[in-house]
Amino acid sequence: MAAARLLRWGPSRAGAWLLPPPARCPRRALHKQGDGTDFQSIYSLDTLYPESRGLDTAWRVPDDAKKANSDIPLDRLTISYCRSSGPGGQNVNKVNSKAEIRFHLATADWIAEPVRQKMAITHKNKINRLGELILTSERSRYQLRNLADCLQKVRDMIAEASQTPKEPSKEDAALWRIRVENMNRERLRKKRISSAIKTSRRVDVD
């Protein structure tokens, strides 16, 4: 019976019984079985983001937001949230993840007066008609992270405006004066050329 089955299947089909089992697919090595019965992949969030463990990590208040209580008075800020065009997929169409903070710059007494004046000049395009400085953030899909990013922007603006300008050296001042003289000389030369061209186009009417 076995001989008849061997002749009917042919040597190729029969040789399959004698071959060793195929090697394990290398792709399956990418995934491994963790301890217990739960499946654990090397592409799991615990592997890709080892510092973000726990279900409440995404909603945890960042350290930047906690630091704001000491250097930025949150009660003096107007904080609001709206729909975001940043990351988050369809989630951004359902929740208000974009953060916006605004405060009146002229009456912000928690910022030094010279710093406020410099901020008003440097960031005048972020101040509305009411004198409110408006900052937004939509880098993340979570409200608290975007709020922390807005507060960090305020700190960076204050730190930038607090820096005293560096006094130029004598060599830098002389070089700057030479550059200004050369620019003025070139500007006057182009004006003379343009004036000569216009004069040559003029037609004398008898």
Side-chain angles (χ1 to χ4, degrees):
M1 187 69 181
R5 187 180 302 173
L6 178 62
L7 293 175
R8 185 175 57 186
W9 285 351
S12 60
R13 182 74 179 272
W17 294 90
L18 304 178
L19 294 177
R24 191 175 182 181
C25 180
R27 280 190 174 182
R28 295 185 180 181
L30 297 177
H31 307 281
K32 61 181 180 179
Q33 187 76 15
D35 297 334
T37 58
D38 295 334
F39 178 76
Q40 184 71 20
S41 171
I42 66 169
Y43 298 118
S44 62
L45 294 178
D46 294 341
T47 306
L48 297 178
Y49 305 99
E51 299 179 358
S52 301
R53 295 188 179 275
L55 299 177
D56 59 336
T57 304
W59 304 98
R60 192 176 301 162
V61 179
D63 296 336
D64 296 339
K66 295 179 180 179
K67 182 182 176 183
N69 296 330
S70 59
D71 56 355
I72 299 178
L74 296 181
D75 55 345
R76 302 290 298 273
L77 305 178
T78 303
I79 303 175
S80 60
Y81 303 96
C82 60
R83 293 291 193 269
S84 172
S85 61
Q90 293 298 324
N91 185 64
V92 299
N93 299 327
K94 298 183 291 184
V95 297
N96 297 328
S97 57
K98 180 180 179 180
E100 175 185 299
I101 63 173
R102 60 176 65 196
F103 61 93
H104 197 263
L105 184 60
T107 58
D109 52 0
W110 46 278
I111 303 177
E113 179 65 25
V115 177
R116 279 182 288 169
Q117 295 177 359
K118 192 172 182 180
M119 289 174 59
I121 297 174
T122 307
H123 305 282
K124 60 182 179 180
N125 57 338
K126 299 179 182 179
I127 302 176
N128 58 6
R129 295 182 178 180
L130 300 178
E132 295 177 336
L133 180 64
I134 304 175
L135 296 174
T136 60
S137 177
E138 51 184 353
R139 295 179 59 184
S140 175
R141 61 183 297 176
Y142 303 109
Q143 289 183 356
L144 295 178
R145 295 184 183 275
N146 290 330
L147 175 60
D149 186 46
C150 290
L151 297 175
Q152 186 60 38
K153 288 182 180 180
V154 175
R155 296 190 195 94
D156 295 341
M157 293 169 59
I158 295 175
E160 180 184 359
S162 301
Q163 296 179 358
T164 57
K166 184 180 178 181
E167 292 293 336
S169 61
K170 295 182 180 180
E171 293 79 5
D172 294 340
L175 183 60
W176 176 255
R177 184 171 59 254
I178 293 174
R179 288 178 179 177
V180 172
E181 292 176 358
N182 292 338
M183 287 189 296
N184 291 335
R185 192 179 299 109
E186 182 67 17
R187 179 176 55 83
L188 294 176
R189 187 183 69 84
K190 291 182 179 181
K191 287 185 64 175
R192 285 194 296 268
I193 294 175
S194 179
S195 178
I197 293 174
K198 291 182 179 180
T199 303
S200 62
R201 292 173 181 171
R202 188 177 304 167
V203 179
D204 297 334
V205 180
D206 296 338

